[in-house]
Amino acid sequence: MANKLKLGIPKGSLQDATIALFQRAGWNIYANGRSYFPSIDDSEIECTLIRAQEMARYVDHGALDAGLTGIDWVVESGREVKSVTSLVYAKQSRQRVRWVLAVPEDSPYQKAEDLADKIIATELVEVTKRYFAEKGVPVKVEFSWGATEVKPPTLADAIVEVTETGSSLKANRLRIIDTVMASETHLIANPASYEDPWKKRKLDNIALMLNAAMAAQGQVGLMLNVRNSDLSEVLSVLPSLNSPTVSALSNPSWVAVNTIIDETLVRDVIPKLKAANATGIVEYALSKVVL
């Protein structure tokens, strides 16, 4: 029987961002709106759409060899899974999300200790209980099925909710008073599956390519030619992931320079390079950067 990796893709808010990341890494995943079994252009992978909140459970049980989910849900579940790699991306951005403690903006609460004996609504029940227990603050933590932002002050005194930018909380007149935990997406694996040599190699390769695709985001390549006499000035202009590559040309008086820089810097760097007597300056897109 051919080797097959059973991979869980998070259904819901992370789904589109995950599929887009896999595409940049070289895998095309085709998700039909009605099917929980997306197709993928890799005969060695079998995909299943699973809610991020449940991913760790199915990976732990061995129903899936691996899956992508937030480390928050792994911690919440208490399941024993292997983290293959962390991947800092979310629904809207390439940054960590935060689970924050929020209260009505006109409430008197300023810190967690002010919420003693109050009701806290959240999806992240176990983590929230531990957070307050560590502070020695007695509260009643209630599970929220969704629309958590609308519950204070009538249905709860405060909430613990996930946010990327805080805009939804502000729109619902809520004020953040603490961060309960930060989270990012992880590629997790069943420990027994990760001990299988073929599955480990496959997962490590997936992790390598996903990280390479993420590292390329927001970066561009620059190549240019410059006289040896002007090389020092050109190099002083260039920020780089590592030292720029300098290569000899057929004309011994000239060299070629190749480097990677943040895309936001290009508009300032290219005029400086031109002023430093660089010529043949070419900016090019990057699809993957393996560090």
Side-chain angles (χ1 to χ4, degrees):
M1 183 177 178
N3 286 316
K4 187 79 71 172
L5 184 77
K6 295 176 291 184
L7 180 66
I9 303 296
K11 182 172 177 61
S13 61
L14 277 178
Q15 180 176 331
D16 290 345
T18 300
I19 290 174
L21 176 58
F22 267 83
Q23 184 177 37
R24 293 195 301 274
W27 287 274
N28 292 300
I29 298 174
Y30 307 96
N32 183 309
R34 297 182 179 181
S35 174
Y36 282 82
F37 303 98
S39 59
I40 184 171
D41 59 351
D42 186 333
S43 61
E44 296 177 340
I45 300 177
E46 183 180 278
C47 294
T48 304
L49 287 175
I50 298 289
R51 281 168 52 90
Q53 294 91 325
E54 300 177 293
M55 191 71 74
R57 181 204 315 170
Y58 293 116
V59 170
D60 180 33
H61 287 173
L64 296 170
D65 293 308
L68 292 101
T69 187
I71 195 63
D72 45 359
W73 296 117
V74 176
V75 174
E76 174 73 5
S77 72
R79 302 286 176 168
E80 294 295 329
V81 295
K82 166 72 177 178
S83 175
V84 179
T85 188
S86 63
L87 301 159
V88 184
Y89 73 95
K91 178 182 178 181
Q92 299 175 359
S93 63
R94 290 186 292 123
Q95 62 183 25
R96 285 179 146 199
V97 298
R98 293 185 300 149
W99 283 89
V100 297
L101 177 60
V103 298
E105 60 184 12
D106 57 356
S107 75
Y109 311 123
Q110 299 297 322
K111 57 186 183 299
E113 288 77 5
D114 297 336
L115 292 164
D117 301 317
K118 302 300 182 183
I119 296 173
I120 316 297
T122 185
E123 286 186 76
L124 205 69
V125 172
E126 297 305 319
V127 170
T128 300
K129 287 180 178 178
R130 288 195 292 271
Y131 166 82
F132 280 101
E134 289 170 1
K135 292 180 175 292
V137 180
V139 295
K140 182 180 181 182
V141 180
E142 294 186 345
F143 178 74
S144 174
W145 290 95
T148 308
E149 296 100 324
V150 305
K151 294 186 176 179
T154 55
L155 301 177
D157 298 292
I159 64 171
V160 171
E161 180 65 339
V162 67
T163 183
E164 284 187 54
T165 64
S167 58
S168 179
L169 295 171
K170 290 178 182 177
N172 285 283
R173 298 189 296 277
L174 295 172
R175 171 169 47 87
I176 296 172
I177 61 173
D178 200 8
T179 296
V180 175
M181 77 172 294
S183 180
E184 71 280 333
T185 305
H186 279 233
L187 174 61
I188 61 172
N190 175 276
S193 295
Y194 199 64
E195 289 178 2
D196 177 275
W198 182 87
K199 291 179 180 179
K200 182 181 187 304
R201 184 167 58 254
K202 186 72 174 179
L203 283 167
D204 287 345
N205 288 343
I206 291 172
L208 174 71
M209 298 306 290
L210 291 177
N211 278 298
M214 291 188 65
Q217 286 186 271
Q219 305 287 329
V220 296
L222 280 182
M223 57 184 180
L224 56 94
N225 296 333
V226 63
R227 290 182 181 274
N228 283 313
S229 56
D230 295 316
L231 178 60
S232 294
E233 188 173 355
V234 163
L235 293 180
S236 71
V237 171
L238 291 173
S240 176
L241 283 176
N242 297 295
S243 297
T245 300
V246 179
S247 306
L249 294 177
S250 57
N251 185 333
S253 299
W254 289 75
V255 292
V257 177
N258 207 324
T259 192
I260 295 172
I261 69 170
D262 191 298
E263 188 174 19
T264 61
L265 301 177
V266 171
R267 65 187 184 189
D268 297 319
V269 167
I270 287 182
K272 292 178 181 178
L273 291 172
K274 187 66 177 175
N277 297 321
T279 64
I281 304 169
V282 176
E283 174 191 346
Y284 56 94
L286 302 173
S287 59
K288 299 171 189 68
V289 175
V290 178
L291 300 174

